[in-house]
Amino acid sequence: MLKRWDHYLPSEKLRCRVYKGVLPQVRGQVWLRLLNVDQVKARNARKYQEMKEAALASSRDIMQIDLDVNRTFRSHTMFWDRYGVGQRALFHVLAAYSVYDTEVGYCQGMSEIAAIVLMFLPENAFWALAQLMTDDRHAMHGGGPDRGGLGPSQASSSQASRSSSGSRLITSASSKELSPT
């Protein structure tokens, strides 16, 4: 299937095989293709390096990322050593992402997702995480019924308008409860 990827990509057969599970031996290759990492990485040459540098200088999440990296998959050999190669790689991916997508930044639980991606795509973990979080096909950024399927940049204004209308409903309901009858 990997040799004829373009032929199988839009097919139901590929979708069914992915849902059954992808063998660990080819999982990285499949994820790379499903997430279009090569295309995104080519369009954004040097961006990951810039994000890593920017994160070290200005990310508000650095301390929490450092704490969480040490708690992530402690029994996996890749993450055993504090400040070892695996933990440093995970730290850089998460720190860079926190600056790359400022709406999300870093949140707890992201380290486990990034660590799994890092295990299978060590050279492309940042771009795979970015695609998972920002591409509407994967809806990990919260796209879906509550956000109307909007991308990250469009969602904040939509959520702001929803939350302001929601707060009016709460305010009007609360005032009815408090008013004497």
Side-chain angles (χ1 to χ4, degrees):
M1 242 181 177
L2 286 170
K3 291 178 183 174
R4 297 185 54 204
W5 184 260
D6 293 334
H7 172 74
Y8 286 106
L9 184 59
S11 73
E12 181 68 17
K13 187 174 186 174
L14 176 64
R15 190 181 74 74
C16 288
R17 286 204 174 164
V18 168
Y19 275 106
K20 284 182 181 178
V22 179
L23 294 172
Q25 300 88 330
V26 294
R27 192 169 291 158
Q29 296 172 48
V30 171
W31 288 357
L32 198 68
R33 290 182 171 115
L34 286 173
L35 295 169
N36 297 318
V37 169
D38 288 336
Q39 294 87 346
V40 173
K41 192 174 173 181
R43 283 193 311 259
N44 295 287
R46 298 241 348 111
K47 186 76 169 177
Y48 174 52
Q49 187 62 34
E50 292 170 12
M51 294 294 102
K52 283 192 330 187
E53 292 167 7
L56 293 175
S58 66
S59 177
R60 58 186 165 83
D61 300 313
I62 289 292
M63 296 299 290
Q64 189 61 50
I65 291 169
D66 185 50
L67 291 171
D68 288 350
V69 162
N70 193 39
R71 300 175 188 148
T72 304
F73 293 122
R74 292 295 303 166
S75 61
H76 192 281
T77 58
M78 188 173 185
F79 304 107
W80 274 345
D81 297 328
R82 182 68 170 141
Y83 303 115
V85 175
Q87 284 195 8
R88 282 194 318 255
L90 181 57
F91 174 83
H92 288 301
V93 167
L94 294 169
Y97 189 80
S98 74
V99 174
Y100 177 75
D101 185 352
T102 56
E103 183 182 350
V104 172
Y106 172 75
C107 60
Q108 196 172 23
M110 229 183 215
S111 62
E112 282 81 8
I113 295 167
I116 291 169
V117 172
L118 191 61
M119 290 177 207
F120 290 96
L121 297 169
E123 300 296 318
N124 298 300
F126 171 77
W127 291 113
L129 179 64
Q131 283 294 91
L132 280 171
M133 295 296 291
T134 60
D135 192 316
D136 288 337
R137 290 183 307 158
H138 312 296
M140 287 189 67
H141 191 275
D146 293 345
R147 280 184 41 192
L150 301 175
S153 61
Q154 299 159 325
S156 59
S157 61
S158 173
Q159 286 174 334
S161 65
R162 286 186 191 153
S163 64
S164 65
S165 63
S167 64
R168 277 182 273 153
L169 293 173
I170 292 168
T171 306
S172 61
S174 301
S175 62
K176 288 178 185 175
E177 290 174 9
L178 296 176
S179 61
T181 48

